Amino acid sequence: MTNNDEICVPADVFDAVCAKADAAAQAQRGLAQADTEAKNELLTAIADALDARADEIAGANALDMVESKEAGMDAGKLDRLLFDVPRIAAAANGVRHVATLPDPVGEIVRGYRLPNGLRLQQTRVPLGVIGMIYEARPNVTVDVASLCLKSGNAAILRGGHAAERTNAATLAIIRDVLADHGFDRALVDTVDEYGRDGATAMMEARGHIDVLVPRGGAGLIQAVVRNSKVPVIETGAGNVHIYVDASGDLNKAIPIILNAKTQRVGVCNAAEKLIIHRDVAAQYLPAIAQALIAADVALHADESAYDIIANAGIDCVSEGENLLAATAQDWDTEYLALEMGVKVVDSLDEAIAHINEHSTGHTESIIAEDYSAIEEFTKRVDSAVVMVNASTRFTDGGVFGFGAELGISTQKMHARGPMGLREMTTTKWIGYGTGQVRR
Amino acid sequence: MTNNDEICVPADVFDAVCAKADAAAQAQRGLAQADTEAKNELLTAIADALDARADEIAGANALDMVESKEAGMDAGKLDRLLFDVPRIAAAANGVRHVATLPDPVGEIVRGYRLPNGLRLQQTRVPLGVIGMIYEARPNVTVDVASLCLKSGNAAILRGGHAAERTNAATLAIIRDVLADHGFDRALVDTVDEYGRDGATAMMEARGHIDVLVPRGGAGLIQAVVRNSKVPVIETGAGNVHIYVDASGDLNKAIPIILNAKTQRVGVCNAAEKLIIHRDVAAQYLPAIAQALIAADVALHADESAYDIIANAGIDCVSEGENLLAATAQDWDTEYLALEMGVKVVDSLDEAIAHINEHSTGHTESIIAEDYSAIEEFTKRVDSAVVMVNASTRFTDGGVFGFGAELGISTQKMHARGPMGLREMTTTKWIGYGTGQVRR
């Protein structure tokens, strides 16, 4: 799926996917009226069934794992594909947790009485049918299903070829519980049987699917964003920057940079770039680079940073191995690895301009003690989340107190930043009158 | 511009439109930091300049009017195109009114302290560059410019060929005031000089324009929705229903139906369909039809409604003239004229199902006294606004207390219903820390 591919879905696949989405929409109208207790009981029953039938899922997953290993999948991806009994138990506990979260549906967002007596209420309602296109991470199937059901939405899923058996086994259990509880199985469905055509059909299914959420690598997300006729919420990709201001405290900078870069490497809120003010570069960079290199991070440094790091007498630094000259391409690269771009800037303005040009708009952090520098940075950096003297790793629905998240929105429309249950809703205005007409 | 046209923009036009959008984005970064007082002074100065130089606009408009008349434009469209000195004065007063509205930028939407001490604030910020594609209504140019500037956004406009001279004269004045007040002229710009290619280039300008808002007829809106690679907020089209329940009060129904259908005919919140419960159809329809026919409304009635109306002895009813047999197509038609579809249903369920199938999701109203019928209708009808015993004409940003509106969103994402200044913003999370790292 590249940006230039012609979109061409076989008509029978398109019709079948639309039929699934329409059945989901029909079923969603029932779910939208269900009260919170009924939805929570449903989620608890799904969690119990996942535990009780974990062997079915783990067995299917073992087959998927064998096939992917034989196909040469790398270790990182294999680890994400693994869905064994302990991981299934963890996912089931996640579902139980979603059951404990507040239900956003029915919240009165605003409400007031007009001068003519008409009583207006803006009320939170589900979005409808949420389409999810993701890569081979079977836990996402469970997460998305539970978040969609709790927020009153139906879900149409395309989970990636490598996890097809695992996802099918998981969905069979979820759909059995739906039926047992008097809900329609169509509430959670997959288009995996149609392969890539299924995903493409979802992107064409405007009027059948209300919103499409791609979750995975930058290539997947961009393909969906560019080709979808269904409204998309863009998630994920994080070319995340940390800027150390001239007023920054080195004792805060080192642990924050280390944490943001190395605490978990393959995640969207991990830092990818270090920008440092020239006034403190010579003083701070040696200690920062030393800490990063000791943590096995390779540095892609601009000319100024390279000179400082190469000549600082750092242990184990090795030019061409863990100290490299940055190329223009580095500034736009999300490494998702133990690598980091390092750039020296002459001013706060230059730092902000560089970030606004190269960031994916996910998260940036400033290390500073100067009040005005912090005000400028937080106001002018145009990203979903801006941290001050804190790790970028905090951009997370769980950390933000949402209980769970569908993903991190890096776009400006609808939702921006971590998306929890509330972000999976829209609103409806209801006006209660007594015969009012417009004059 | 039809749905099946290949999109093909000359490269030089695409580059020129992107350059305008990028200049607007650069200028918007300055405006985003302007405080409310500075923005209000700017708006007041724009209003004064529009008044002082009204003759320039009116002169340009006179030329547009002559050309459109010669081209055979109909009277309704000519009236919308007219922008004479009194109308310019009204638009200028609209700008002064926007200056009095609360500024949404900077509002703290949510804020709390995490257990680790990180202080999180979800803060309202402008969307960025808003693209507007609209038909020949010159007042929209003034409205959109003032709403965008007040909410900290830049605007790229495509205003329709017929109003090109009028819009150019209006924009010249607005841009002069921007420059006089130390703002960048690029904040409000037009692509009218590129004709249709300009509009198409805007739809392709993903990454340059943040959101596109089409405003006008259903054809224009659908063309933008289907072809745009830039996120679109769908506005407007209103196949609006009024349902008279078996429990409805005829004394409320008649004035509400008359008001919703006839108070203003060519607007999106005007009623287009009347659905009535069979239990009261024979009793209520004669009086309702009499009132509508007396107001020159032609009725497209289904078989049951036709029989009742034809045999009720109504004054001036004339089969084939103001009483017509409804066709399947009628249920999906937004007449925007003195015409109304009339349908008899056997149940509330049938009414809700019909509405959810045929409505454009704008506004529907129920006339009822039964509590459970009202609860069912307001919960299950999937539209932006649901009225109870009130005219559908109340769906309006001004009526809702927003002070002004960019349009009425009929989609579920981002904003739904009337869009005021708040709906022209997104949010940014800011986390204030003291060295926090993730464990």
Side-chain angles (χ1 to χ4, degrees):
Chain A
M1 218 184 314
T2 71
N3 298 345
N4 297 319
D5 279 358
E6 266 300 311
I7 292 181
C8 184
V9 194
D12 58 331
V13 172
F14 180 72
D15 290 347
V17 169
C18 289
K20 284 188 179 220
D22 292 346
Q26 186 66 34
Q28 187 271 334
R29 292 193 186 117
L31 180 67
Q33 309 315 322
D35 57 33
T36 308
E37 279 181 7
K39 292 190 287 189
N40 291 346
E41 281 167 20
L42 173 68
L43 290 182
T44 306
I46 287 174
D48 293 345
L50 289 170
D51 278 336
R53 297 170 62 180
D55 286 344
E56 290 174 36
I57 303 173
N61 185 248
L63 298 175
D64 280 337
M65 291 288 290
V66 167
E67 191 178 280
S68 293
K69 245 179 243 173
E70 283 171 0
M73 185 181 271
D74 70 43
K77 282 191 178 165
L78 280 173
D79 181 60
R80 270 178 281 173
L81 179 59
L82 179 68
F83 206 46
D84 55 7
V85 173
R87 288 193 182 182
I88 296 163
N93 278 333
V95 178
R96 287 187 188 96
H97 177 66
V98 171
T100 68
L101 297 176
D103 186 349
V105 174
E107 183 198 342
I108 308 289
V109 179
R110 284 185 267 185
Y112 42 89
R113 191 183 293 268
L114 297 185
N116 66 5
L118 186 70
R119 195 160 49 85
L120 281 177
Q121 297 188 346
Q122 187 182 16
T123 308
R124 210 171 273 293
V125 298
L127 276 170
V129 179
I130 295 179
M132 191 93 188
I133 299 179
Y134 54 106
E135 285 165 348
R137 295 180 67 166
N139 64 306
V140 172
T141 308
V142 177
D143 290 356
V144 170
S146 61
L147 288 167
C148 283
L149 293 171
K150 176 75 182 219
S151 54
N153 293 292
I156 300 288
L157 308 172
R158 162 60 183 161
H161 172 69
E164 266 190 47
R165 293 184 192 87
T166 314
N167 288 335
T170 305
L171 283 181
I173 293 167
I174 292 172
R175 286 157 63 97
D176 284 352
V177 179
L178 282 168
D180 287 348
H181 278 67
F183 291 99
D184 195 325
R185 284 173 184 271
L187 277 172
V188 184
D189 210 340
T190 175
V191 300
D192 275 351
E193 64 263 43
Y194 308 112
R196 280 190 171 200
D197 285 341
T200 311
M202 285 171 77
M203 297 185 224
E204 292 281 308
R206 188 172 184 100
H208 304 273
I209 293 174
D210 289 291
V211 51
L212 210 55
V213 185
R215 188 164 152 182
L220 170 75
I221 291 166
Q222 282 311 308
V224 175
V225 161
R226 289 188 175 274
N227 295 320
S228 180
K229 291 201 168 57
V230 174
V232 173
I233 298 183
E234 190 171 347
T235 68
N239 185 19
V240 167
H241 297 74
I242 297 181
Y243 166 64
V244 179
D245 185 57
S247 71
D249 176 352
L250 183 61
N251 292 322
K252 291 183 181 127
I254 293 174
I256 287 171
I257 294 165
L258 260 188
N259 182 262
K261 180 67 251 179
T262 67
Q263 196 243 357
R264 247 185 103 187
V265 166
V267 289
C268 59
N269 57 17
E272 303 287 3
K273 301 295 178 305
L274 170 64
I275 313 289
I276 188 164
H277 196 288
R278 193 173 300 281
D279 288 356
V280 292
Q283 185 193 344
Y284 287 6
L285 258 187
I288 294 169
Q290 175 77 79
L292 287 167
I293 282 172
D296 285 331
V297 179
L299 304 176
H300 300 259
D302 76 349
E303 210 177 309
S304 300
Y306 194 104
D307 284 349
I308 294 168
I309 297 166
N311 298 308
I314 297 171
D315 295 342
C316 302
V317 72
S318 167
E319 295 183 49
E321 287 185 26
N322 56 17
L323 178 60
L324 305 145
T327 64
Q329 206 186 317
D330 274 302
W331 309 123
D332 295 307
T333 302
E334 185 185 13
Y335 302 112
L336 296 171
L338 287 168
E339 298 183 63
M340 190 171 214
V342 185
K343 184 183 176 66
V344 177
V345 292
D346 289 326
S347 64
L348 174 66
D349 278 348
E350 189 187 342
I352 293 171
H354 178 89
I355 289 169
N356 282 338
E357 187 179 343
H358 297 283
S359 169
T360 53
H362 189 295
T363 301
E364 331 296 337
S365 183
I366 180 172
I367 313 296
E369 297 298 317
D370 182 76
Y371 173 82
S372 295
I374 292 169
E375 283 287 296
E376 286 291 303
F377 191 87
T378 54
K379 275 186 189 162
R380 288 168 51 196
V381 166
D382 191 21
S383 296
V385 184
V386 181
M387 293 290 179
V388 179
N389 294 321
S391 173
T392 59
R393 288 276 296 119
F394 288 119
T395 298
D396 175 278
V399 170
F400 275 37
F402 297 177
E405 71 174 28
L406 189 70
I408 311 273
S409 162
T410 54
Q411 67 175 38
K412 292 182 178 177
M413 276 178 66
H414 191 71
R416 197 178 194 200
M419 293 195 298
L421 293 169
R422 195 194 292 202
E423 287 71 27
M424 296 169 74
T425 63
T426 181
T427 62
K428 179 199 285 187
W429 286 92
I430 304 176
Y432 294 96
T434 51
Q436 282 84 355
V437 296
R438 189 151 173 193
R439 307 287 170 198
Chain B
M1 219 185 312
T2 71
N3 299 345
N4 297 318
D5 280 358
E6 266 300 310
I7 292 182
C8 184
V9 194
D12 58 332
V13 172
F14 181 73
D15 290 346
V17 169
C18 288
K20 283 187 180 220
D22 292 346
Q26 184 66 35
Q28 188 271 334
R29 291 194 186 117
L31 180 67
Q33 308 316 320
D35 57 33
T36 308
E37 280 181 7
K39 291 189 288 189
N40 290 346
E41 282 168 18
L42 172 68
L43 291 183
T44 307
I46 288 173
D48 292 345
L50 289 170
D51 278 336
R53 296 170 62 181
D55 286 344
E56 291 174 35
I57 303 173
N61 185 249
L63 297 175
D64 281 336
M65 290 289 289
V66 167
E67 190 179 280
S68 292
K69 245 179 245 174
E70 282 171 0
M73 185 180 272
D74 69 45
K77 281 191 178 166
L78 279 174
D79 181 59
R80 269 178 280 173
L81 179 59
L82 180 68
F83 206 46
D84 55 8
V85 172
R87 287 193 181 182
I88 296 164
N93 278 333
V95 178
R96 288 187 188 96
H97 177 66
V98 172
T100 68
L101 297 175
D103 186 348
V105 175
E107 183 197 341
I108 308 290
V109 179
R110 284 186 268 185
Y112 41 90
R113 192 182 292 271
L114 297 185
N116 67 6
L118 187 70
R119 195 160 50 85
L120 281 177
Q121 298 187 345
Q122 187 183 17
T123 308
R124 211 172 272 292
V125 297
L127 277 169
V129 179
I130 295 179
M132 192 90 188
I133 300 179
Y134 54 105
E135 285 164 347
R137 295 179 66 166
N139 65 304
V140 172
T141 308
V142 176
D143 290 356
V144 170
S146 61
L147 288 167
C148 283
L149 293 171
K150 175 75 181 219
S151 54
N153 292 291
I156 300 288
L157 308 172
R158 162 61 183 162
H161 171 68
E164 267 191 48
R165 294 184 190 86
T166 314
N167 288 335
T170 306
L171 282 181
I173 294 167
I174 292 173
R175 287 158 63 99
D176 284 352
V177 178
L178 282 168
D180 287 348
H181 278 67
F183 291 99
D184 195 325
R185 283 173 185 272
L187 277 172
V188 183
D189 210 341
T190 175
V191 300
D192 275 351
E193 64 263 43
Y194 308 113
R196 282 190 169 199
D197 286 341
T200 312
M202 285 171 77
M203 296 185 225
E204 292 281 309
R206 188 171 183 100
H208 304 273
I209 293 174
D210 289 290
V211 50
L212 210 54
V213 184
R215 188 163 151 181
L220 170 76
I221 291 166
Q222 283 311 309
V224 175
V225 161
R226 289 188 175 274
N227 295 319
S228 180
K229 293 201 166 58
V230 174
V232 173
I233 298 183
E234 190 172 347
T235 69
N239 185 18
V240 167
H241 297 75
I242 297 180
Y243 166 64
V244 179
D245 186 56
S247 71
D249 175 352
L250 184 61
N251 292 322
K252 291 184 181 126
I254 293 175
I256 288 172
I257 294 165
L258 260 187
N259 181 261
K261 181 66 254 179
T262 67
Q263 196 243 357
R264 248 186 102 186
V265 166
V267 290
C268 60
N269 56 18
E272 303 287 4
K273 301 296 176 306
L274 170 64
I275 313 289
I276 187 164
H277 196 287
R278 192 172 302 279
D279 289 357
V280 293
Q283 185 192 344
Y284 287 7
L285 258 188
I288 295 170
Q290 175 78 77
L292 287 168
I293 282 172
D296 284 331
V297 178
L299 303 176
H300 300 259
D302 76 349
E303 210 177 309
S304 300
Y306 194 105
D307 285 348
I308 293 168
I309 297 166
N311 299 307
I314 297 172
D315 294 342
C316 302
V317 72
S318 167
E319 295 183 50
E321 288 185 24
N322 56 18
L323 177 60
L324 305 145
T327 64
Q329 207 187 314
D330 274 303
W331 309 123
D332 294 308
T333 300
E334 185 186 13
Y335 302 112
L336 296 170
L338 286 168
E339 298 182 65
M340 191 170 213
V342 185
K343 184 181 175 68
V344 176
V345 292
D346 289 326
S347 64
L348 174 66
D349 278 347
E350 189 187 343
I352 293 171
H354 178 89
I355 289 169
N356 283 337
E357 187 179 343
H358 296 283
S359 169
T360 53
H362 189 294
T363 302
E364 330 297 337
S365 183
I366 180 173
I367 314 296
E369 297 298 316
D370 182 75
Y371 173 83
S372 296
I374 292 169
E375 282 287 295
E376 286 292 302
F377 191 87
T378 54
K379 276 186 189 161
R380 290 167 52 195
V381 166
D382 192 21
S383 296
V385 184
V386 182
M387 293 291 180
V388 179
N389 293 322
S391 172
T392 59
R393 289 274 297 120
F394 289 119
T395 299
D396 175 278
V399 171
F400 275 37
F402 297 178
E405 70 175 28
L406 189 70
I408 312 273
S409 163
T410 54
Q411 66 175 38
K412 291 182 179 176
M413 276 179 63
H414 190 72
R416 198 179 193 199
M419 294 196 297
L421 293 169
R422 196 194 290 199
E423 287 70 28
M424 296 169 75
T425 64
T426 180
T427 62
K428 180 198 285 187
W429 285 92
I430 304 176
Y432 294 96
T434 51
Q436 283 84 353
V437 297
R438 189 150 172 193
R439 307 288 169 198

